[in-house]
Amino acid sequence: MAEVVQYHLEQMVGELEDLERRDLFTKPELKAIVKKRSKFEYALRRRRVKCIDYLRYIEYEINVDALRRQRKQRKQQQSAKTTLSDFSITQRIIAIFERAVVRHPEDVQLWLQFVEFIKSRRRMSTADADEEDDGHSRLLSQVFARAISAHPYESQLWIKAAAHELEVNMNGSAARALLQRALRLISDDKELWIEYFRLELLLVEKIKARRRVLGIDGEKETEDSEEVQATGSEDTEDAGFIDLPQLDEEGGQDLMVEKLTEKALAQLDQKTAASAGNLTEEQRAAMSQQTNAYLQGAVAQIVFEQAIQAISDDLSFRQELIAIAGQFAGAEQLRQRVLDSIRQDFAADADARAYLCSVHLSTISTESPELIDGLQLAVENFKQALSELDTPEMWAKYVEFLSQWLDASESMKSLQAYFAAQRKRAAAMIGESRDARLNEELALSCADVIEADGGDVLSWLADATQRFPDSADLWHRRMSALVAGNRDGLASGVASSSRIDNLFTSQALLQAPDSRKLWDLWFDWTELWFSRKDVSADKVQARYMSAFARVTQQRTLQALSADPDSLAQVQALVAHLQTRYVDWAWKLPASHKPLSAFGELAHAQFRPDDDDSDMEDGEQCAEPVAGNIEALRQAYRNVSRHAFPTPGFYRRCIELETDAKHLAMLHEMACRVDEAESEPWLAYLRFLAESKQLSQASDVFWRASQTIHDAEQPAFEAAYKKIINTGFVSTPLPRFGATRRVKNPLIPSKEQTKGASEVAFPGPFSPAFSTVDTIPLDHAEEDYQQVLRRIRETRSDCVVAGQKITDVPNPNDPNAQADNPEIVAASLDSESSYYSD
């Protein structure tokens, strides 16, 4: 290995001497370059070399070359003679790319980066008079050929190769051949058909441009065949032509596109340099007809016909073809052919009919006087389409069109009034036959129209929610209107607070329990009444407690289903509600009375109309001040004991908590939520490192390494090492797999005994008791007693650090000892290898 690396380094001697001679780099800089290159070369000689290793080497060489160019330009050496250092770095980068694609030919992105690098160097060499451009085009053609041979089903490679032939080698025939060959292999690829369609239109446009420059009119045919010959029958033996090998997958007959194209061009391939008198009238007429058909886009139309046979049910595909045809002058006939195909093949599609009604507006400028006539024509087209396709989807597209142009025509009052009248009329027609024309989307759109016109939107939304009871958007729209009317104190007819509360709890949230914005609206309204001192904090907490119970039940139902997306959505909702609850508690005024535990709120009800006797006289809720730490702690105790906390909930609590003892408890409980995830453990380790709890950090790392997924172990250990290197933790990383004893974490250390503030015990949440959980004694006595009882039922090993307790013997264990004043598991040997490797 060293010999190969030394060989590569020796090849740099001439380049380094030239850089030093031209005073572009100093000797210390050249030594640093050699040292860096040697490291990269050794990295590339390893047994398993990753693609990123090559890319890092290439990135370094590109930066070195960029620095060389800047210094050369600053020293005004642009006019100097080209030397070895001007092209040696580029050659080295190409060589590294060659080694990379040989080692990783399966990486498509690597091939694309190779191509882009050669293109960039070609542009640089074109702009720089000192560097040569010879060989770049040939090299790029060779790279394309190899890349396509390795990945014949990657459309991007075929498209880029065809673009190279057309733009660089000026070989339209080769570009056409490449795309035709690609379509034989990937006949259902949209991008290939689109680019082939664009290519044929571009070739026709080039011929038209040449005819205009030469002053050739439509009737003179003396030079026509030479023009077509220049584009359609160029020499395919060009030096830069991509010579692709024959692929086994290309069996079968050629596409009809290629056959018809070659036939049309063969008829125009006759040399007409001789006198026009040599041709008969029939031959001249046939020549003129064929030429005009080609210039009018006959070949592009053939491409389109074949494309819609391969991709027949994709509306967006045809819309892109229409957009491309609109970019070329003289392609109106082809554009109309595509529109006719949409009208014929998508007659029952509301999206297609709406597109056809307004497609002509894309060719009209917004400042053109023809815009008004175009908009009126679009409205008439929609009315005609609605008479043929009277469906809710079509009406929704019509109302959406009217609303968009109503908002866009604010500067033109007359046009805005026209669209407002049309929209109002459309909403009235929809309301007349709701059973046949109404859907959820249309119901929301009509609600906006009715509200803008000052109509009875609440009655409309009430009827819509009865028709579509599972629509979260409709329920949110209806409840928002009710809450806004109740908050603003509108006239009679607005629902009372008790009726709104009943609608929320018995209908809206019951029909759409996984709607986040509906839950937010409910709690916004609840907290509004709390800010007005109409309800107490206990009743708000009761509302949160019922929400946790209902959403948790929904999460359980989703867990039993086979839809992972729905489960993830419900889990995100649970985390959001829990975070919102602690934020509300944190923002309570400091003078507020302490919050109650959830267990004391079983009979609390939310009735904003009742006289709330729980509110104290001096209590102020209108202007909450952030920072009520006691309310925050009671809030996360409630969630931890009576709900299913999420990692996001603990993360928010850790952001707000300030006491180190409570932070340790929160980190510990966050790690228990999902012991296989590494992020909570790393956050815990950072906290312990910053607070200088070195022994505890080592124990936590040991516990985490036993529970984290094997796939995440390397990244976790690397992150732990990074924490060590920053100076937070000085404890060395344990060597897993070594034949040595490891200190039993069940034995209390001197720091734990001296502090007398923690209780350590085998974690009951781990089936194998492979973790050690820590709970502060002053805030977790109840949890500790429950866990201790579970431990006695399963295992008698327990250590109490810094506190005397009396262990109650396990009645199921006849050998249990009744008296154990100091340590429950005193029989454990201090030199035990219970947790050894």
Side-chain angles (χ1 to χ4, degrees):
M1 180 175 68
E3 293 79 2
V4 178
V5 173
Q6 186 65 27
Y7 170 77
H8 286 292
L9 295 177
E10 289 176 357
Q11 302 302 314
M12 309 174 189
V13 175
E15 170 198 341
L16 299 176
E17 291 178 349
D18 185 63
L19 291 173
E20 182 181 6
R21 182 171 57 255
R22 299 180 65 175
D23 197 22
L24 295 177
F25 289 93
T26 63
K27 284 188 176 181
E29 290 175 338
L30 293 176
K31 290 182 179 180
I33 291 174
V34 172
K35 185 177 180 180
K36 193 72 173 178
R37 286 176 176 175
S38 63
K39 290 183 179 180
F40 283 122
E41 290 292 342
Y42 276 110
L44 298 185
R45 299 303 302 174
R46 293 180 299 188
R47 179 173 298 179
R48 295 182 180 179
V49 185
K50 299 181 181 179
C51 185
I52 189 63
D53 297 328
Y54 291 100
L55 295 179
R56 288 170 180 166
Y57 195 1
I58 292 170
E59 181 183 11
Y60 175 75
E61 292 294 340
I62 291 176
N63 293 335
V64 171
D65 191 48
L67 180 60
R68 180 195 64 82
R69 290 174 179 273
Q70 290 181 0
R71 292 183 177 181
K72 179 181 177 182
Q73 184 177 5
R74 187 171 62 248
K75 294 179 180 298
Q76 298 181 355
Q77 296 182 2
Q78 293 294 332
S79 59
K81 183 179 179 181
T82 301
T83 59
L84 177 62
S85 62
D86 290 329
F87 54 84
S88 59
I89 299 180
T90 300
Q91 292 180 347
R92 180 177 296 103
I93 296 174
I94 292 175
I96 298 172
F97 265 118
E98 291 286 353
R99 295 160 65 183
V101 295
V102 169
R103 192 68 175 266
H104 300 280
E106 74 285 351
D107 195 332
V108 180
Q109 293 300 322
L110 184 60
W111 286 103
L112 293 176
Q113 288 178 330
F114 193 7
V115 169
E116 292 300 326
F117 172 76
I118 299 176
K119 287 183 177 180
S120 64
R121 291 299 161 170
R122 184 180 180 277
R123 288 191 293 267
M124 288 182 181
S125 62
T126 303
D128 194 346
D130 289 345
E131 295 189 2
E132 299 180 356
D133 186 29
D134 296 342
H136 280 160
S137 179
R138 185 186 302 274
L139 176 62
L140 192 56
S141 299
Q142 295 173 357
V143 171
F144 273 126
R146 294 165 55 194
I148 290 174
S149 299
H151 301 278
Y153 295 99
E154 288 293 336
S155 59
Q156 288 299 319
L157 293 174
W158 291 98
I159 293 173
K160 289 181 178 294
H164 169 70
E165 289 295 340
L166 181 65
E167 299 171 0
V168 179
N169 295 337
M170 302 299 176
N171 195 337
S173 179
R176 179 187 290 116
L178 280 170
L179 292 180
Q180 288 176 351
R181 190 171 185 181
L183 287 170
R184 296 191 194 107
L185 298 174
I186 327 171
S187 60
D188 57 348
D189 190 277
K190 290 173 52 177
E191 291 297 326
L192 281 175
W193 283 111
I194 289 172
E195 294 303 326
Y196 189 21
F197 185 76
R198 191 198 309 273
L199 172 66
E200 294 297 345
L201 290 176
L202 185 60
L203 294 178
V204 172
E205 188 66 24
K206 283 188 175 184
I207 294 177
K208 291 181 179 179
R210 291 175 184 175
R211 291 166 63 91
R212 287 193 296 267
V213 172
L214 295 176
I216 301 176
D217 55 11
E219 298 179 356
K220 185 176 180 181
E221 303 296 338
T222 304
E223 304 293 337
D224 284 346
S225 60
E226 293 183 0
E227 296 296 335
V228 178
Q229 176 75 14
T231 304
S233 302
E234 295 183 11
D235 185 13
T236 59
E237 300 297 332
D238 184 74
F241 178 68
I242 300 177
D243 187 12
L244 297 176
Q246 183 66 28
L247 300 176
D248 297 336
E249 294 85 347
E250 295 188 46
Q253 298 180 353
D254 295 341
L255 289 174
M256 186 181 297
V257 178
E258 184 179 5
K259 289 183 177 181
L260 295 176
T261 302
E262 292 179 355
K263 181 178 178 181
L265 295 177
Q267 295 177 359
L268 300 175
D269 198 23
Q270 303 175 2
K271 297 295 183 179
T272 57
S275 173
N278 297 334
L279 301 176
T280 63
E281 293 296 333
E282 292 79 5
Q283 291 175 339
R284 184 178 292 105
M287 181 76 74
S288 175
Q289 182 179 358
Q290 291 291 338
T291 303
N292 291 336
Y294 180 80
L295 296 179
Q296 291 174 3
V299 177
Q301 183 172 346
I302 296 173
V303 174
F304 163 71
E305 298 292 344
Q306 297 298 315
I308 62 175
Q309 290 182 12
I311 307 174
S312 58
D313 56 350
D314 194 337
L315 176 62
S316 61
F317 173 60
R318 304 195 190 189
Q319 291 176 350
E320 292 183 22
L321 295 179
I322 292 175
I324 293 174
Q327 299 174 1
F328 296 90
E332 290 297 329
Q333 183 177 358
L334 178 60
R335 185 171 179 270
Q336 187 61 38
R337 174 68 185 89
V338 182
L339 289 173
D340 292 341
S341 70
I342 294 178
R343 189 175 292 106
Q344 178 181 357
D345 298 340
F346 298 91
D349 192 311
D351 293 332
R353 299 299 294 269
Y355 174 76
L356 292 173
C357 291
S358 59
V359 66
H360 62 278
L361 296 176
S362 61
T363 60
I364 303 177
S365 174
T366 55
E367 300 178 356
S368 174
E370 301 176 356
L371 179 62
I372 296 179
D373 295 335
L375 291 173
Q376 292 179 351
L377 177 61
V379 172
E380 295 298 327
N381 291 339
F382 267 108
K383 292 180 179 179
Q384 178 65 26
L386 286 170
S387 63
E388 300 174 359
L389 187 65
D390 191 0
T391 60
E393 291 77 14
M394 194 64 209
W395 280 100
K397 292 295 180 182
Y398 181 40
V399 174
E400 180 183 0
F401 171 79
L402 295 176
S403 300
Q404 288 178 351
W405 281 101
L406 178 63
D407 298 336
S409 59
E410 295 181 355
S411 59
M412 295 179 287
K413 299 299 182 182
S414 58
L415 190 60
Q416 190 176 24
Y418 170 76
F419 280 112
Q422 293 293 335
R423 192 176 69 164
K424 183 178 180 179
R425 181 180 178 184
M429 295 178 66
I430 294 171
E432 292 174 358
S433 55
R434 302 181 185 182
D435 296 335
R437 296 175 178 175
L438 196 64
N439 59 8
E440 297 180 22
E441 180 183 0
L442 196 56
L444 289 171
S445 300
C446 291
D448 296 334
V449 176
I450 295 173
E451 185 178 17
D453 296 336
D456 189 4
V457 66
L458 291 177
S459 299
W460 173 269
L461 290 172
D463 180 74
T465 52
Q466 290 180 1
R467 293 177 180 272
F468 310 101
D470 297 334
S471 175
D473 294 333
L474 283 174
W475 275 111
H476 180 266
R477 186 73 174 80
R478 179 185 179 184
M479 301 310 299
S480 297
L482 289 173
V483 169
N486 185 280
R487 180 177 60 245
D488 299 336
L490 300 179
S492 60
V494 178
S496 63
S497 300
S498 59
R499 182 170 179 269
I500 294 176
D501 182 65
N502 182 62
L503 280 175
F504 264 121
T505 56
S506 62
Q507 296 188 43
L509 294 174
L510 189 63
Q511 297 291 344
D514 55 349
S515 175
R516 176 171 175 172
K517 59 182 180 181
L518 198 58
W519 284 103
D520 283 338
L521 178 64
W522 190 39
F523 283 114
D524 288 340
W525 180 68
T526 301
E527 293 173 9
L528 173 65
W529 285 97
F530 173 74
S531 65
R532 294 178 177 179
K533 299 188 295 184
D534 292 329
V535 295
S536 66
D538 289 345
K539 293 184 178 181
V540 177
Q541 286 198 107
R543 176 62 54 87
Y544 274 107
M545 182 175 63
S546 62
F548 295 156
R550 182 172 297 182
V551 176
T552 301
Q553 181 182 8
Q554 184 69 15
R555 182 174 65 173
T556 304
L557 295 176
Q558 293 295 339
L560 298 176
S561 65
D563 189 2
D565 295 334
S566 299
L567 178 59
Q569 181 180 359
V570 174
Q571 289 177 343
L573 176 60
V574 173
H576 172 70
L577 293 180
Q578 293 175 355
T579 304
R580 181 182 178 116
Y581 171 53
V582 296
D583 285 339
W584 169 78
W586 171 255
K587 294 177 182 179
L588 288 175
S591 59
H592 195 280
K593 68 176 183 179
L595 295 179
S596 303
F598 270 0
E600 304 173 3
L601 302 174
H603 302 288
Q605 296 180 357
F606 183 83
R607 298 184 181 277
D609 290 338
D610 298 340
D611 183 19
D612 197 342
S613 59
D614 295 336
M615 296 289 292
E616 297 183 357
D617 296 336
E619 202 171 304
Q620 300 293 330
C621 297
E623 298 293 336
V625 179
N628 193 334
I629 191 65
E630 294 299 330
L632 170 69
R633 291 170 182 171
Q634 183 60 50
Y636 64 65
R637 286 195 202 104
N638 289 337
V639 174
S640 300
R641 295 175 180 177
H642 302 279
F644 290 91
T646 60
F649 162 75
Y650 281 119
R651 189 161 48 247
R652 180 57 178 164
C653 294
I654 291 171
E655 292 175 359
L656 299 177
E657 183 58 74
T658 57
D659 183 69
K661 189 179 299 184
H662 290 83
L663 282 171
M665 180 188 68
L666 289 172
H667 277 292
E668 190 72 37
M669 299 179 73
C671 293
R672 296 179 192 171
V673 175
D674 190 355
E675 295 182 338
E677 293 295 330
S678 60
E679 189 58 35
W681 291 105
L682 289 175
Y684 195 7
L685 288 171
R686 294 189 192 99
F687 163 74
L688 294 175
E690 293 174 357
S691 58
K692 306 300 181 183
Q693 302 181 37
L694 308 182
S695 177
Q696 185 71 8
S698 180
D699 293 342
V700 169
F701 173 77
W702 186 91
R703 292 165 47 200
S705 62
Q706 307 301 312
T707 59
I708 293 177
H709 294 297
D710 294 338
E712 299 183 6
Q713 285 286 351
F716 176 71
E717 293 180 7
Y720 182 66
K721 289 180 180 179
K722 186 176 181 181
I723 296 176
I724 295 175
N725 295 332
T726 55
F728 291 137
V729 179
S730 58
T731 307
L733 185 67
R735 296 173 298 171
F736 295 100
T739 58
R740 64 181 179 86
R741 290 183 179 273
V742 179
K743 179 182 180 296
N744 191 341
L746 293 181
I747 304 302
S749 62
K750 295 182 179 180
E751 292 83 357
Q752 292 174 328
T753 306
K754 182 178 180 180
S757 61
E758 295 179 344
V759 55
F761 51 91
F765 303 98
S766 176
F769 296 96
S770 60
T771 61
V772 177
D773 302 299
T774 303
I775 297 179
L777 292 176
D778 53 348
H779 292 287
E781 185 65 26
E782 181 181 357
D783 292 346
Y784 166 69
Q785 295 296 338
Q786 294 178 358
V787 171
L788 195 60
R789 284 194 294 269
R790 294 180 59 184
I791 292 175
R792 293 192 186 104
E793 297 174 358
T794 55
R795 188 179 182 88
S796 61
D797 298 339
C798 185
V799 175
V800 177
Q803 174 122 350
K804 291 184 177 181
I805 66 170
T806 300
D807 182 34
V808 179
N810 187 354
N812 299 327
D813 187 4
N815 298 324
Q817 298 179 359
D819 298 328
N820 197 354
E822 295 290 340
I823 299 176
V824 178
S827 60
L828 281 174
D829 188 4
S830 60
E831 297 181 358
S832 173
S833 59
Y834 181 74
Y835 284 90
S836 63
D837 294 332

